[in-house]
Amino acid sequence: MTLVYPVQSLAAHPPRLSPAYKSTVKRSPSKPLIPMRHTLSELTGPVYGHETVRENDHDLTVQGKGEPLGERIIVHGHVLDEDGRGVPNTLVELWQANACGRYVHVVDQHPAPLDPNFTGAGRAQSDAQGYYRFVTIKPGAYPWGNHHNAWRPAHIHFSVFGHSFVSRLVTQMYFPGDPLFPFDPIFNSVTDEKARNRMISAFDLENTKPDWALCYRFNIVLRGRNATPMEKK
Amino acid sequence: MQQTKPDGVTPSQTVGPYFAYGLTPNGKYDWNDAFNNNLVTSDTSGERIRIEGQVFDGDGAVVSDCMLEIWQADAQGRFSDPQDKRAQPNTSFKGFGRIGTDAKGGYAFDTIKPGTVPDPDGKPQAPHILLAVFARGMLLHNYSRIYFDGEAANASDPVLALVPADRRATLIATRQPGGNAVYRFDIHLQGDKETVFFDV
């Protein structure tokens, strides 16, 4: 194994304890994490895709009996590593609220309508260049109990594996220009502005389909491999 | 399409409370599971084991909206990944499992006891399973390892040796009484009994 997953890459992530997001207070480690070298266990990872992804799994607008309500959108992009190389044949999973900001999850009691034609779950496999594509509905903002008048900016949850167990990533894709950004402690848990902006998709007019759907581009950048070592501070 | 070099990784965000229908539907939602908590198929070789436990927060309250993922070698210590060049890719054992905790914070995995995997110096590691812990309130998942009690190799395991002696027990699943190989592994996200998490 000659691959390198630089520890410095982790600096872009939010601190586990981010008190403005209240649930972190009792769920973040209170003791220091133990640094360790990567072994074969960490440097390998599940290889999934073709056997799990069905033909329409990437299109959340055709999974029900009829079309879901809301603003139809295309979300596409590349799964990349830090050096800009596409991560091929990797599983990309997503889940999201419907156009009204309601999840189908049994615990979600937000009094907004459920859409019988929208589950909000999808998956795709990146191609040989790391490219993936989904068709879905733009999710709505929704309230949550973190603080007075707390609303989450519209977002889509993404889950990606990459090359190894240490490149595992769960993140959220946001939409450009959302007025809720300044008020959201989850979005703002990422303290570095450039890193935070990497979670915001770009409106993509070139790939917007006339008379059919707006398009957003969202590249997902995973840790490693063989990234140029950063300068020692 | 040629990509320009990104200026860093995409930051992690919490899975939130509502991941189940996307990631762990488990028959409760109109979506099929890509993975579940049973890693064993009829042609998997190795000792069948069950690992079960509960997840607790810093107040000792159960965490019912937690997702656990495990990754492990097969009984011969091989990973089902072409990057493991030591042997033919193992197709009969995938080595990956995923589950969401229940209302009591409970979980279980049915799998096999993993074999020995070398460390970067070629030194054998004691049998272990990698664990990733996700939940609402966790902005970045935590990595841990599950070891097994009664393993002589634990005493010389290079990763366990990095852990302060008084915390090692948090990484060791305890064999339950009875004929079946059932191991208990509770996960404490925070506090006096906090599970050791690794900075990888």
Side-chain angles (χ1 to χ4, degrees), chain A residues 195-232:
Chain A
R196 199 162 61 234
N197 288 340
R198 289 197 289 274
M199 301 188 293
I200 305 174
S201 57
F203 175 60
D204 182 355
L205 183 65
E206 190 185 342
N207 289 294
T208 285
K209 295 268 188 214
D211 306 320
W212 194 70
L214 296 184
C215 182
Y216 294 87
R217 176 171 286 278
F218 183 57
N219 288 342
I220 301 166
V221 184
L222 303 179
R223 189 177 173 193
R225 307 184 294 177
N226 296 330
T228 311
M230 291 168 73
E231 285 179 42
K232 295 256 192 307

Side-chain angles (χ1 to χ4, degrees), chain A residues 1 3 9-10 12-16 18 21 23-31 33-46 48 51 54 57 63 78 80-84 91 93 95-96 103-106 108 119-123 157 161 163 165-166 168-172 174 186-187 189-190 194-195 198-199 219-223 225, chain B residues 1 3-23 29-35 57-59 63 65 67 69-71 79-84 86 94 96 98 117-121 125 128 130-132 134-143 145 159 162-164 167 189-192 194 196-200:
Chain A
M1 283 286 161
L3 308 175
S9 313
L10 302 175
H13 294 311
R16 288 176 170 84
S18 297
Y21 173 21
S23 298
T24 67
V25 173
K26 292 295 181 184
R27 294 184 168 198
S28 53
S30 53
K31 300 181 194 307
L33 305 191
I34 310 271
M36 60 168 284
R37 285 194 299 168
H38 298 158
T39 75
L40 199 56
S41 304
E42 288 76 28
L43 294 173
T44 52
Y48 281 113
E51 74 271 40
R54 301 167 301 184
D57 281 359
Q63 293 167 358
H78 285 78
L80 304 168
D81 70 13
E82 277 176 272
D83 285 336
L91 182 68
E93 298 167 279
W95 70 102
Q96 62 168 92
Y103 288 90
V104 298
H105 195 284
V106 290
D108 186 358
T119 302
R123 61 174 74 100
H157 296 266
F161 285 88
H163 289 291
F165 207 58
V166 295
R168 182 88 178 89
L169 178 73
V170 169
T171 189
Q172 298 178 21
Y174 298 90
I186 293 180
F187 176 71
S189 67
V190 178
K194 280 175 106 176
R198 289 197 289 274
M199 301 188 293
N219 288 342
I220 301 166
V221 184
L222 303 179
R223 189 177 173 193
R225 307 184 294 177
Chain B
M1 176 178 168
Q3 297 292 331
T4 54
K5 186 167 155 31
D7 59 1
V9 301
T10 304
S12 174
Q13 295 273 268
T14 176
V15 291
Y18 303 139
F19 58 81
Y21 68 87
L23 299 181
Y29 296 96
D30 186 20
W31 187 237
N32 69 322
D33 288 276
F35 323 103
D57 71 9
D59 287 332
V63 179
D65 48 8
M67 181 175 81
E69 291 183 343
I70 60 170
W71 170 243
F79 286 97
S80 178
D81 180 334
Q83 294 179 99
D84 185 350
R86 298 167 304 151
K94 297 288 189 197
F96 181 78
R98 175 192 280 173
V117 175
D119 85 345
D121 300 326
Q125 302 183 70
H128 63 274
L130 266 63
L131 175 69
F134 304 77
R136 171 179 64 86
M138 294 179 65
L139 288 160
L140 177 59
H141 54 280
N142 288 349
Y143 287 111
R145 284 184 167 209
V159 174
L162 300 170
V163 177
R167 298 191 64 204
L189 299 180
Q190 188 186 80
D192 292 343
E194 186 174 307
V196 167
F197 299 113
F198 291 100
D199 189 4
V200 296

Side-chain angles (χ1 to χ4, degrees), chain B residues 128-177:
Chain B
H128 63 274
I129 291 174
L130 266 63
L131 175 69
V133 183
F134 304 77
R136 171 179 64 86
M138 294 179 65
L139 288 160
L140 177 59
H141 54 280
N142 288 349
Y143 287 111
S144 188
R145 284 184 167 209
I146 302 171
Y147 287 86
F148 301 91
D149 69 1
E151 285 290 329
N154 288 345
S156 56
D157 182 80
V159 174
L160 274 179
L162 300 170
V163 177
D166 62 346
R167 298 191 64 204
R168 276 176 212 157
T170 71
L171 296 177
I172 297 175
T174 52
R175 177 88 179 234
Q176 301 299 288

